[in-house]
Amino acid sequence: MKNDIYDYLIFKLDSEYADYEFDLISIPPYEFIENGLSLEPYEYFGEIHEVLELKAKHILMYFNADVLMRVEFLYPGDIVGFLKQRIEKMQDIGLPEYMMLILRKDRKFTVLMYQNKLLQKHN
């Protein structure tokens, strides 16, 4: 039985850019500021394409000072319900204290995103 969230989500927050550099391509905007942190977005083109038993159309990774801060898996269509069920099956696995997980639907994709809580907006 898998007992670590990264057994499911694969890409570990706080990992180094060097771990993935040969599988990434920079995408515009090449750098932006979010909540006071500079982020550099990349699309992942490596071996991993299935997450939570589904093939992702795009995998986006965001780095700050060469440290992974956010990952987004973009799935075609509206599969929020299916992904929610998959996540609920992981109920015995808690999120690390520093991680925030978000599931949302945009125009073309269902997006599963997780990020370092440093990127949360402070109220």
Side-chain angles (χ1 to χ4, degrees), residues 57-74:
K57 177 76 173 176
H58 301 283
I59 299 173
L60 306 178
M61 303 172 81
Y62 300 81
F63 292 85
N64 170 260
D66 290 340
V67 175
L68 185 61
M69 298 295 288
R70 174 186 292 155
V71 178
E72 293 179 343
F73 300 106
L74 282 68

Side-chain angles (χ1 to χ4, degrees), residues 10-11 44-51 54-57 59 73 75:
I10 301 164
F11 302 102
Y44 177 81
F45 287 100
E47 296 281 324
I48 301 163
H49 296 287
E50 273 195 19
V51 176
L54 287 175
K55 185 172 177 87
K57 177 76 173 176
I59 299 173
F73 300 106
Y75 299 96

Side-chain angles (χ1 to χ4, degrees), residues 6-17:
Y6 294 115
D7 289 337
Y8 296 93
L9 299 180
I10 301 164
F11 302 102
K12 188 171 185 169
L13 294 177
D14 296 330
S15 60
E16 298 290 323
Y17 171 83

